[in-house]
Amino acid sequence: MRRPNKAPPVASKDGPRINDDIRNAQIQLIDQTGDNKGTVETVMAIRMAQEAGMDLVEISPNVSPPVCKIMDYGKYKYSAQKKAAEARKRQKIVEIKEIKLRPMIDDHDYDVKMRAMQRFFEEGDKVKITLRYRGREMAHQEIGTKLLDKIKTDVAELAKVEQDARFEGRQVVMVLAPR
């Protein structure tokens, strides 16, 4: 038995519709100089665009009638790609760095962790502080609470508390974000 011949699905184009892809009978036309020509039939607008050596590009498809502009589509697409690349280059991806502590941390170890935290804030990253209790330390949770309060006061000018300390089993998690 022979299988029916299935045609591949039509690839949907990304970006605005241009020239013959515009299906509306009438459109709001803006010419290449930026002048509003009012409501025009689509066939007439495509002819005007071809005479100018340009394309008819649909700018606002969701209004009635849709707004179309006569422009060089290749140049328009190129400039849009350039803008997107520039925006990607300028954006800063905020990472969440984690600092793990124990309630009975020594002074020097605490200072080392604080210097690392300070460096993370200067780089613009968020810091997730995980305070883990082991064994009998669970009986003295106030020590961990005091430690977290000390951290909050020490980094008050550098960071703000984004997520206050909360218990997750045998550990307490707090998230700080740079100011």
Side-chain angles (χ1 to χ4, degrees), residues 98-102 128-132 148 171-174:
E98 185 174 19
I99 301 266
K100 293 186 179 182
L101 301 169
R102 295 277 313 280
K128 175 181 175 185
I129 299 168
T130 305
L131 179 70
R132 180 165 288 152
L148 289 174
Q171 62 188 23
V172 181
V173 176
M174 180 171 70

Side-chain angles (χ1 to χ4, degrees), residues 77-92:
K77 201 168 178 184
Y78 177 76
S79 65
Q81 282 178 337
K82 282 293 200 187
K83 280 183 196 170
E86 191 66 32
R88 275 195 306 274
K89 196 190 312 180
R90 265 193 253 114
Q91 80 180 9
K92 167 76 170 97

Side-chain angles (χ1 to χ4, degrees), residues 49-150:
Q50 287 173 343
E51 287 171 7
M54 297 186 176
D55 300 303
L56 184 67
V57 181
E58 191 175 45
I59 302 297
S60 300
N62 299 330
V63 294
S64 180
V67 178
C68 296
K69 186 174 182 181
I70 296 174
M71 65 168 80
D72 185 355
Y73 182 66
K75 195 180 286 186
Y76 168 76
K77 201 168 178 184
Y78 177 76
S79 65
Q81 282 178 337
K82 282 293 200 187
K83 280 183 196 170
E86 191 66 32
R88 275 195 306 274
K89 196 190 312 180
R90 265 193 253 114
Q91 80 180 9
K92 167 76 170 97
I93 296 148
V94 176
E95 292 182 36
I96 297 181
K97 305 284 189 172
E98 185 174 19
I99 301 266
K100 293 186 179 182
L101 301 169
R102 295 277 313 280
M104 300 301 292
I105 191 168
D106 197 38
D107 290 338
H108 181 262
D109 296 332
Y110 176 81
D111 293 339
V112 169
K113 300 281 187 180
M114 289 307 290
R115 279 197 301 274
M117 218 179 297
Q118 185 176 6
R119 191 178 74 241
F120 295 150
F121 290 136
E122 287 168 358
E123 291 171 1
D125 296 325
K126 293 181 182 180
V127 177
K128 175 181 175 185
I129 299 168
T130 305
L131 179 70
R132 180 165 288 152
Y133 293 102
R134 286 161 78 184
R136 291 190 191 149
E137 291 173 345
M138 284 297 285
H140 301 286
Q141 294 176 6
E142 70 279 355
I143 298 171
T145 308
K146 286 179 187 174
L147 178 64
L148 289 174
D149 289 338
K150 182 179 176 189

Side-chain angles (χ1 to χ4, degrees), residues 8-78:
V10 178
S12 62
K13 286 179 58 178
D14 56 331
R17 293 188 289 194
I18 60 168
N19 297 333
D20 295 326
D21 294 338
I22 301 169
R23 296 281 175 226
N24 300 65
Q26 291 189 332
I27 57 163
Q28 183 78 24
L29 180 66
I30 300 171
D31 68 359
Q32 61 269 29
T33 59
D35 298 330
N36 190 345
K37 296 290 185 182
T39 305
V40 180
E41 290 190 20
T42 307
V43 179
M44 183 69 178
I46 292 172
R47 194 174 305 124
M48 289 170 65
Q50 287 173 343
E51 287 171 7
M54 297 186 176
D55 300 303
L56 184 67
V57 181
E58 191 175 45
I59 302 297
S60 300
N62 299 330
V63 294
S64 180
V67 178
C68 296
K69 186 174 182 181
I70 296 174
M71 65 168 80
D72 185 355
Y73 182 66
K75 195 180 286 186
Y76 168 76
K77 201 168 178 184
Y78 177 76

